[in-house]
Structures are given as C-alpha cells and as structure tokens.
C-alpha cells in the first residue's frame, strides 16, 4: 500500500536532487510530491511522512525556518531530517521541527562533497545508504 509522503529539499548541490529523485522512484511518488522550493508549490497536508533534506549553513534561511516552524500534525505526522552539514545545524532545525508539534522520526547528518553546482553528486554507496535510511524511517511510521 502506498504511503502519503513528500520529499522536500533545500540545496544547490546536485546530490540532494538526486536523492529526492531516487526516493521518488523507489516509492513511486507523484511529481508534485517532490519539491526543491520553500515553501513547496503544493503544501503538506496530513502527510504520513515528510523527508526534509537540506544543505545547512550556520545561518538558516528564513523561508526554511518558517516552513519547519509550521510542520505540525495537520501538515505532517512524521518528519525525517537529512542534513548536509554539521550536527549543530541539524540540531537547530530538529529543535524547530519538534517545537512545531510533529513527530521527528530521525535525523541523519551527511557530507556531500562539492560546492553548489560544482560537484556535489552522490556516490552509489551514499545513495544506497540514504535509501536504506528512508526505508527505516518509513517503517517507523507504520
């Protein structure tokens, strides 16, 4: 049975778009379930899980902060957070998501090499690891 799911990413690195596309293919998600903009074109509405993938910097963009602050249970029952950056940045985002009232099912911190559009692709090993992580997060939501 399909799961009501969204994959949202906020990154200029190609790897995050590759990640979102891999999850879209794995779960056969419709085109409007994937977005690289904040706020997304289609709002979250009672999603079983939102996979939020961001390249974090020490200063969080205001649109991302506002979006995370609105992720309550009417928008998403569960959120899985993937952060390309430092643990401290992931903790800041996670705290905002928890304060909004949704269930944070997991946080994963990674480093995608490269800078914006120069490099930043996922290795096959990292892609497989991330797909497995999402599978575990989805299983935790059922």
């Amino acid at each position: 049975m399909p799961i009501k799911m969204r994959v949202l990413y906020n990154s200029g690195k190609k790897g995050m778009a590759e990640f979102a596309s891999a999850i879209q293919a794995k779960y056969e998600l419709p085109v409007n379930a994937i977005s690289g903009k904040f706020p997304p074109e289609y709002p979250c509405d009672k999603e079983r899980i939102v996979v939020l993938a961001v390249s974090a910097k020490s200063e969080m963009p205001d649109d991302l902060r506002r979006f995370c602050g609105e992720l309550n249970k009417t928008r998403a029952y569960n959120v899985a957070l993937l952060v390309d950056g430092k643990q401290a940045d992931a903790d800041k985002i996670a705290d905002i998501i928890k304060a909004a009232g949704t269930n944070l099912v997991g946080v994963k911190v990674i480093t995608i090499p490269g800078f914006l559009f120069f490099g930043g692709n996922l290795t096959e090993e990292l892609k497989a690891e991330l797909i497995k992580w999402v599978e575990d997060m989805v299983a935790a939501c059922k």
Side-chain angles (χ1 to χ4, degrees):
M1 181 174 163
I3 186 167
K4 192 168 181 202
M5 173 181 192
R6 290 209 182 237
V7 180
L8 308 174
Y9 62 97
N10 185 9
S11 176
K13 292 185 179 178
K14 294 177 191 174
M16 286 299 197
E18 291 171 9
F19 165 73
S21 294
I23 299 306
Q24 180 181 20
K26 165 96 178 131
Y27 289 95
E28 300 176 1
L29 300 175
V31 172
N32 66 359
I34 307 296
S35 180
K37 294 188 205 174
F38 285 89
E41 298 89 347
Y42 298 93
C44 297
D45 181 34
K46 297 180 184 171
E47 307 296 332
R48 173 63 72 192
I49 184 169
V50 170
V51 178
L52 185 60
V54 299
S55 288
K57 301 172 186 143
S58 56
E59 194 63 37
M60 186 184 318
D62 194 49
D63 55 351
L64 176 62
R65 182 192 53 74
R66 281 193 318 257
F67 176 80
C68 291
E70 295 172 354
L71 279 174
N72 57 39
K73 296 243 185 228
T74 63
R75 296 189 183 262
Y77 297 113
N78 301 286
V79 175
L81 177 62
L82 173 67
V83 176
D84 170 31
K86 298 177 182 165
Q87 184 65 50
D89 298 325
D91 292 343
K92 279 192 246 180
I93 298 168
D95 289 345
I96 293 169
I97 292 169
K98 288 179 200 172
T102 193
N103 181 35
L104 186 63
V105 291
V107 178
K108 184 166 185 70
V109 179
I110 61 169
T111 301
I112 298 176
F115 180 73
L116 294 177
F117 301 107
F118 303 104
N121 292 356
L122 291 180
T123 63
E124 288 303 315
E125 296 81 19
L126 183 55
K127 188 185 293 186
E129 177 186 332
L130 294 177
I131 289 171
K132 172 70 172 110
W133 177 73
V134 171
E135 289 171 352
D136 293 345
M137 297 300 100
V138 169
C141 296
K142 291 187 176 179

